[in-house]
Amino acid sequence: MSDWAERARRRPARAVTVRAPGKINLSLRCGALGDDGYHPLATTFQAVSLFEEVTATEGAGITIEVSGPQAELVPTGEDNVAARAVRALAEHIGVDPDVTLHLRKGVPVAGGMAGGSADAAATLVACDALWEAGLAREELAELAAELGSDVPFALVGHTAVGAGRGHLLSPVMTRGTFHWVLAMRSEGLPTPAVYAKFDELTPDAAIDPDADVDLMLALRQADPVALGAALHNDLQAAALALRPELGETIEVARDAGALGAIVSGSGPTVAVLARSAQHALVLSATLRALGGADEVRTVRGPVQGAVVLTP
Ligand code: C5P
């Protein structure tokens, strides 16, 4: 029996709860589909205050329970990315993947905010603590990258540039807090379908590596007006082609005085930038009144990545 397994055998039953944030993409620049089936990206993620919470307790095999809005849309079988996270970590440290996970959904399902990725990141951290594996964050990040392009960012949070598939991260210097309104839709958009539409619309896609200089400056200067002008998403046209009503949401937000409004990642969530927390409340009331979404939430960013809530 390995050291890990021996320690796990002697340990009293307990629960570990970890919280991980959803993200928005302040900029997403996408190149042409590569031979590996992925698109090269240059993206700037910001973690926002909409969270997934995962509680891991000992179990026999892997059991996944889900609660919260849209819980019924989340598959609980072995393909769930949280179950894949359990297996990846268990294999890495040499224990049996015996755990019960309870996922409390706070991030919209298939909403372009990486809620499933947040579940996977939280699961890695929770099981690492439950099994007293003590892996370094770098090691967890390597496992995370195997699970999905957005999982490493949910581990680290704050604001970061993602290269490669979006998984090779560099932190970005930011000051201050930005206030967002999220216009969410109950019907999700499958990421692969949006990328396929992007390929159809943009056969000669290429990334301009210098395009986000203004964005970086806006973040460093805590300047929401400049940030609003610098928001960019190469996938937006594809998301709008699949869901034209998102264009109306963006227009409603702009007409209401938003500093910027953009589809987050592959959508359908629209991220709307406000001047202040107070302005975010005004914008959210307008979006609610004009019916530009199924649910509207105000959030702030950046926030930290996956963090253990229970000892
Ligand atoms: O990595 P992840 O599992 O989140 O990606 C889901 C799907 O999104 C991939 O199977 C691929 O079709 C698409 N994708 C892509 N290029 C990326 C990231 C994701 O084409 N950089």
Side-chain angles (χ1 to χ4, degrees):
M1 193 183 285
S2 71
D3 283 356
W4 307 118
E6 179 58 26
R7 252 188 275 170
R9 196 178 60 75
R10 281 191 263 120
R11 179 191 62 233
R14 62 198 184 98
V16 179
T17 298
V18 173
R19 186 176 89 167
K23 58 82 184 167
I24 54 185
N25 299 79
L26 306 178
S27 170
L28 193 159
R29 298 186 187 272
C30 188
L33 179 64
D35 294 337
D36 60 355
Y38 286 86
H39 296 74
L41 296 184
T43 188
T44 303
F45 297 107
Q46 181 159 95
V48 295
S49 56
L50 204 58
F51 299 99
E52 298 284 285
E53 259 182 43
V54 174
T55 300
T57 49
E58 285 174 32
I62 302 173
T63 308
I64 295 186
E65 301 159 356
V66 189
S67 64
Q70 299 179 301
E72 69 287 354
L73 300 179
V74 179
T76 55
E78 60 182 26
D79 289 342
N80 184 303
V81 70
R84 291 173 45 224
V86 171
R87 289 198 299 275
L89 180 65
E91 192 173 312
H92 187 74
I93 64 176
V95 300
D96 292 328
D98 290 330
V99 71
T100 295
L101 297 176
H102 189 97
L103 317 180
R104 267 177 297 278
K105 304 294 298 176
V107 180
V109 176
M113 293 191 64
S117 300
D119 291 337
T123 298
L124 287 175
V125 174
C127 290
D128 176 73
L130 187 73
W131 293 331
E132 296 174 357
L135 294 192
R137 279 284 166 135
E138 291 75 20
E139 248 175 304
L140 289 179
E142 276 176 32
L143 294 174
E146 297 294 315
L147 296 169
S149 311
D150 294 336
V151 184
F153 178 71
L155 273 182
V156 301
H158 299 282
T159 306
V161 168
R165 287 178 275 122
H167 67 299
L168 303 171
L169 298 175
S170 316
V172 170
M173 199 168 74
T174 66
R175 284 171 50 228
T177 292
F178 296 95
H179 297 276
W180 300 92
V181 181
L182 301 175
M184 308 193 277
R185 300 282 175 168
S186 38
E187 192 190 339
L189 253 178
T191 303
V194 177
Y195 276 107
K197 194 68 181 175
F198 171 82
D199 293 337
E200 195 185 312
L201 295 176
T202 331
D204 299 320
I207 297 174
D208 172 0
D210 299 322
D212 285 326
V213 173
D214 290 348
L215 175 68
M216 295 302 137
L217 208 58
L219 291 168
R220 258 205 303 276
Q221 296 180 337
D223 182 343
V225 175
L227 180 61
L231 298 174
H232 179 87
N233 185 356
D234 277 346
L235 295 180
Q236 180 157 305
L240 295 189
L242 295 170
R243 298 282 289 277
E245 69 272 24
L246 301 182
E248 290 160 30
T249 307
I250 290 171
E251 249 174 58
V252 167
R254 287 193 180 140
D255 289 349
L259 300 180
I262 194 171
V263 170
S264 173
S266 54
T269 302
V270 172
V272 175
L273 183 61
R275 244 187 307 275
S276 63
Q278 187 64 32
H279 187 216
L281 289 175
V282 173
L283 287 176
S284 70
T286 307
L287 279 162
R288 272 198 197 97
L290 296 182
D294 296 318
E295 203 196 332
V296 181
R297 292 282 298 270
T298 56
V299 296
R300 66 180 199 287
V303 298
Q304 67 182 336
V307 63
V308 177
L309 297 181
T310 52

